Amino acid sequence: MTQEELFKKLVAHCKEYGFIFPSSEIYDGLAAVYDYGQLGVELKNNIKHYWWDAMIKLHHNIVGIDAAIFMHPRVWEASGHVGAFNDPLIDNKDSKKRYRADVLIEEWMAKQGEKINKEVEKARKRFENFDEVMFRQTNPRVLEYQAKLDEVHKRMADALNANDLEGLRQIIIDLEIACPISGTRNWTEVRQFNLMFETKIGSVAEGANKIYLRPETAQGIFVNFLNVQKSGRMKIPFGIAQIGKAFRNEIVARQFIFRMREFEQMEMQFFIEPGTEMKWFKHWKEFRMSWHKALGFGDGHYQFHDHDKLAHYANAATDIEYEFPFGFKEVEGIHSRTNYDLSRHGEYSGRKITYFDTEKGESYVPYVIETSIGVDRMVLQVISASLKEEQLENGESRIVMSFPPALAPVKAAVLPLIKKDGLPEMADKIVDKLKFDFNVQYDEKDSIGRRYRRQDAIGTPFCITVDYQTLEDGTVTLRHRDSMEQERVKIDDLHSIISREVGFAKLFEKIVNKD
Ligand code: ATP
């Protein structure tokens, strides 16, 4: 199966099993907006729980807030979003399709990278004792491709940094990039497009005021810096974490929930003493990478990608990229934001936003390291990594979502073998014993094999089957999702077995022990 087919299957699976639906689907949907269904919302909540506790519970010096989506319009002037939160867009005059100029060039670069990899793979098959490093350093064709790639990379970074829109367009022309729809190179000029959604607050009669839907949650943290620091008597270094909705009018919104117009972010701003930012930047890069890797999807699927173009506020920035079916893509950004935001809010609000260091006896505007991850991208990462089609020994196949148990929407399914003779009643009792602590499902429809398959497809780690023996000796069959192994256990032991497996402690131990 190609990666593209795999991705289509993933989207279809998400809809069929109640994870994710297109928004307003009966009206043909709304582009790049999605709704979470009954299982999707559980998965999403578990991911948020994993992030929140990793920030708040594992760190004595990080606290959370929940700021409003609407903010004073001056916030976005101070933050620089009104002036500079833009993407460079370009239209193809024939297809009338709109693209991000930088993304068109990045896609060309990715193809160039694939050409190099193909040469390497060809050579690997041809030569015994193949030395890949040597080959990459000496093969004339690879060197030629690489030189071109490096040149384009540099030109793009220079054009973006200089805000040189004509220069960006020229790269597209020089590389002869064609529109994937029309196949032509009939391009418009490149224009800047502001990504913020606007709306009005107050009745029109009172004189409506333009406000924005926040494009990031971070500003809610910055404007509350003094409130939290003073009321919590926080001492630097300390962090403020927040989970909430953000909105961006993305030009090209595709790849399912990877790029949405309404999405959710989990952001943490860590306030530090000026001059210590590189130490903390490194610390948070490592911590966040361990958080991802603890999920067990395979360390080889992650990489750091340093930014070519730094945002107007940053002096260092990197992305954590995960290998999706459509390639390595950003799931999280880690940014050293200097004291830009707090200084600007100080300037625009006229308030003194500083921190008094009692030990040093001096005041300063704190620097900030930010970790910012999209909940939805994380959902997509978890689903991409977990959805598998397995061939079984008996020749059949099964679809299984091998979610880390802590993230699984349903923790256990209780299944009476048949629908009579007191088995459903006994199954009900087991549900009652477990339901205060775990999300459990009761299912009595269809054969037991089909019920197992249904639970595999939604990633339930445990199936508990109630049979005649249960009525006699108080034991049940416990089936493990991944190994499909079955064991006989006492009803009284179920709670502790499930609890051990699905608790977040298992994940947190991996992170903490790494530190
Ligand atoms: P991209 O380069 O993909 O547009 P970005 O660098 O603009 O992303 P940030 O501003 O750093 O993204 O936002 C932090 C995180 O928020 C991203 O790593 C991503 O997980 C998430 N995010 C940003 N934009 C979107 C979106 N349109 N849909 C879903 N998640 C998003």
Side-chain angles (χ1 to χ4, degrees):
M1 208 185 317
T2 65
Q3 291 296 330
E4 203 169 312
E5 285 164 346
L6 193 78
F7 194 59
K8 271 196 188 144
K9 274 206 160 179
L10 180 153
V11 176
H13 188 89
C14 282
K15 185 170 165 208
E16 186 182 346
Y17 285 92
F19 283 93
I20 300 160
F21 309 121
S23 158
S24 330
E25 199 186 5
I26 56 170
Y27 293 97
D28 296 332
L30 183 64
V33 186
Y34 290 89
D35 297 338
Y36 284 84
Q38 63 278 19
L39 294 177
V41 67
E42 299 287 347
L43 173 63
K44 193 171 156 182
N45 284 342
N46 291 339
I47 289 173
K48 290 197 257 184
H49 183 157
Y50 178 41
W51 183 88
W52 187 260
D53 283 5
M55 286 297 173
I56 308 289
K57 284 199 192 152
L58 301 195
H59 297 92
H60 67 277
N61 57 350
I62 299 182
V63 292
I65 62 164
D66 183 15
I69 288 171
F70 292 150
M71 301 182 78
H72 195 287
R74 293 273 285 164
V75 167
W76 304 109
E77 288 170 30
S79 69
H81 283 81
V82 172
F85 192 55
N86 302 318
D87 274 345
L89 70 84
I90 188 165
D91 294 288
N92 181 270
K93 291 184 194 161
D94 300 315
S95 67
K96 308 264 182 280
K97 282 278 169 203
R98 180 161 287 181
Y99 299 90
R100 258 172 69 175
D102 54 334
V103 170
L104 283 179
I105 300 168
E106 274 169 8
E107 283 172 357
W108 181 92
M109 293 198 298
K111 281 199 194 121
Q112 191 79 352
E114 277 165 28
K115 277 191 197 165
I116 295 175
N117 290 341
K118 265 196 196 141
E119 292 295 327
V120 172
E121 288 319 309
K122 259 201 311 200
R124 191 192 307 283
K125 282 192 193 131
R126 231 180 13 227
F127 303 118
E128 258 177 53
N129 300 331
F130 176 61
D131 182 342
E132 183 176 332
V133 177
M134 173 78 93
F135 182 79
R136 282 181 185 271
Q137 283 168 357
T138 53
N139 180 271
R141 191 170 291 168
V142 168
L143 288 177
E144 191 190 317
Y145 286 151
Q146 189 63 49
K148 182 77 184 156
L149 183 69
D150 293 344
E151 180 210 320
V152 170
H153 195 168
K154 180 166 184 326
R155 272 181 77 187
M156 183 180 80
D158 289 348
L160 286 171
N161 282 320
N163 215 353
D164 174 9
L165 301 183
E166 185 42 45
L168 218 47
R169 179 171 190 272
Q170 199 53 47
I171 302 174
I172 293 173
I173 304 293
D174 292 348
L175 296 176
E176 301 186 343
I177 295 175
C179 165
I181 309 285
S182 67
T184 71
R185 300 185 202 120
N186 197 5
W187 296 109
T188 61
E189 296 304 303
V190 176
R191 279 167 297 146
Q192 290 289 23
F193 177 80
N194 194 291
L195 300 179
M196 281 199 294
F197 283 101
E198 294 171 7
T199 186
K200 300 234 168 13
I201 199 162
S203 75
V204 180
E206 286 168 14
N209 251 324
K210 182 163 85 178
I211 55 165
Y212 301 98
L213 297 189
R214 67 181 177 196
E216 61 174 26
T217 55
Q219 297 305 323
I221 292 178
F222 291 124
V223 300
N224 277 298
F225 168 78
L226 286 179
N227 283 338
V228 174
Q229 193 270 319
K230 295 216 160 101
S231 60
R233 293 161 59 218
M234 307 300 290
K235 276 199 145 109
I236 276 183
F238 75 90
I240 305 179
Q242 173 169 225
I243 299 177
K245 288 267 180 159
F247 305 82
R248 296 182 188 178
N249 199 0
E250 298 281 0
I251 303 168
V252 189
R254 59 192 146 112
Q255 284 154 338
F256 194 37
I257 56 168
F258 182 81
R259 191 174 298 287
M260 300 154 91
R261 297 202 164 104
E262 172 181 343
F263 57 101
E264 217 167 344
Q265 287 186 316
M266 306 188 280
E267 296 199 298
M268 193 278 299
Q269 318 295 136
F270 199 68
F271 298 95
I272 53 173
E273 193 184 334
T276 62
E277 65 269 26
M278 285 309 144
K279 177 183 97 182
W280 285 112
F281 181 63
K282 183 165 170 287
H283 169 87
W284 282 108
K285 268 175 76 170
E286 283 166 13
F287 182 85
R288 293 304 305 146
M289 192 55 116
S290 341
W291 183 88
H292 284 277
K293 288 186 174 171
L295 291 171
F297 298 146
D299 294 2
H301 292 299
Y302 298 91
Q303 66 184 25
F304 284 114
H305 177 253
D306 293 336
H307 284 204
D308 291 324
K309 183 191 178 208
L310 290 175
H312 55 273
Y313 48 73
N315 69 357
T318 195
D319 294 335
I320 293 177
E321 295 187 337
Y322 176 75
E323 191 174 18
F324 286 98
F326 42 86
F328 274 99
K329 295 277 178 210
E330 169 181 349
V331 276
E332 169 156 9
I334 298 151
H335 310 127
S336 171
R337 284 179 85 128
T338 68
N339 61 5
Y340 179 85
D341 301 85
L342 289 182
S343 306
R344 294 271 291 191
H345 286 306
E347 206 181 297
Y348 276 67
S349 66
R351 305 288 170 93
K352 189 167 160 232
I353 306 183
T354 54
Y355 172 80
F356 182 69
D357 185 327
T358 44
E359 274 157 39
K360 293 202 164 146
E362 62 184 36
S363 285
Y364 56 80
V365 181
Y367 269 43
V368 172
I369 304 296
E370 159 183 270
T371 72
S372 172
I373 172 171
V375 180
D376 313 272
R377 279 197 197 170
M378 195 58 208
V379 170
L380 189 58
Q381 184 200 128
V382 172
I383 293 178
S384 306
S386 304
L387 183 60
K388 292 175 191 134
E389 190 166 353
E390 283 181 358
Q391 292 305 320
L392 305 179
E393 277 170 13
N394 63 7
E396 287 178 15
S397 68
R398 69 163 182 162
I399 303 277
V400 59
M401 280 276 207
S402 53
F403 289 135
L407 302 186
V410 179
K411 305 304 185 195
V414 185
L415 319 168
L417 192 60
I418 50 171
K419 255 192 285 185
K420 55 180 187 182
D421 299 335
L423 299 188
E425 289 75 11
M426 181 55 119
D428 273 342
K429 277 193 197 147
I430 296 176
V431 169
D432 286 344
K433 273 178 183 280
L434 299 174
K435 72 182 179 193
F436 288 167
D437 292 311
F438 312 110
N439 196 351
V440 283
Q441 268 192 2
Y442 171 88
D443 188 5
E444 58 175 27
K445 281 185 232 93
D446 300 323
S447 73
I448 194 75
R450 289 185 70 167
R451 281 182 270 168
Y452 284 157
R453 291 287 173 276
R454 266 205 299 271
Q455 295 299 330
D456 287 344
I458 64 169
T460 307
F462 295 107
C463 284
I464 299 160
T465 307
V466 176
D467 54 20
Y468 288 108
Q469 193 185 332
T470 312
L471 304 181
E472 286 163 21
D473 66 4
T475 65
V476 288
T477 302
L478 185 70
R479 176 184 179 270
H480 297 258
R481 178 197 65 200
D482 296 339
S483 64
M484 292 189 288
E485 270 166 20
Q486 304 188 7
E487 56 176 331
R488 203 77 202 173
V489 303
K490 289 200 199 101
I491 292 173
D492 289 343
D493 292 340
L494 281 172
H495 192 286
S496 67
I497 296 173
I498 298 173
S499 171
R500 229 181 4 252
E501 214 38 50
V502 307
F504 284 91
K506 267 196 150 180
L507 297 175
F508 293 144
E509 274 160 17
K510 285 198 216 168
I511 303 177
V512 171
N513 292 338
K514 190 130 196 210
D515 252 12

